[in-house]
């Protein structure tokens, strides 16, 4: 998010990497037969981002594990 409103090669690389991750995730979910791979990818990415952000802020590994667990529950 830090690079969302920035310009330049670093900001472009950050956006490109995030798009590659989302495209990969959506493609894998589509191949797995998930009904709405775009929404599922959004939820998975959001849980992982939230778990990481909370871990970085509070240092509690339980937040990382919670994010991973919730992300996995998206696809059952």
């Amino acid at each position: 998010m830090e690079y969302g409103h920035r310009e330049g090669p670093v900001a472009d690389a950050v956006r490109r990497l995030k798009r590659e991750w989302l495209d990969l995730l959506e493609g894998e979910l589509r191949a797995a037969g998930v009904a709405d791979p775009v929404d599922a990818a959004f939820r998975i990415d959001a849980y992982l981002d939230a778990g990481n952000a909370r871990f970085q802020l509070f240092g509690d590994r339980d937040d990382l594990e919670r994010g991973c667990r919730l992300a996995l529950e998206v696809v059952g």
Side-chain angles (χ1 to χ4, degrees):
M1 290 171 282
E2 181 179 339
Y3 290 93
H5 298 291
R6 294 185 184 192
E7 298 296 326
V10 173
D12 292 343
V14 168
R15 279 190 284 278
R16 189 170 43 255
L17 182 61
K18 185 67 161 187
R19 175 47 44 206
E20 288 174 7
W21 157 244
L22 294 172
D23 289 346
L24 174 68
L25 188 54
E26 291 167 13
E28 292 297 316
L29 292 165
R30 189 173 289 108
V34 171
D36 192 341
V38 175
D39 280 0
F42 186 96
R43 287 193 303 272
I44 290 168
D45 184 60
Y47 285 132
L48 295 176
D49 281 349
N52 183 56
R54 288 184 180 203
F55 174 67
Q56 295 302 319
L57 286 171
F58 307 118
D60 188 346
R61 291 196 65 80
D62 288 344
D63 290 322
L64 283 176
E65 292 171 13
R66 181 176 295 106
C68 289
R69 179 177 46 80
L70 291 170
L72 288 169
E73 288 176 5
V74 169
V75 292

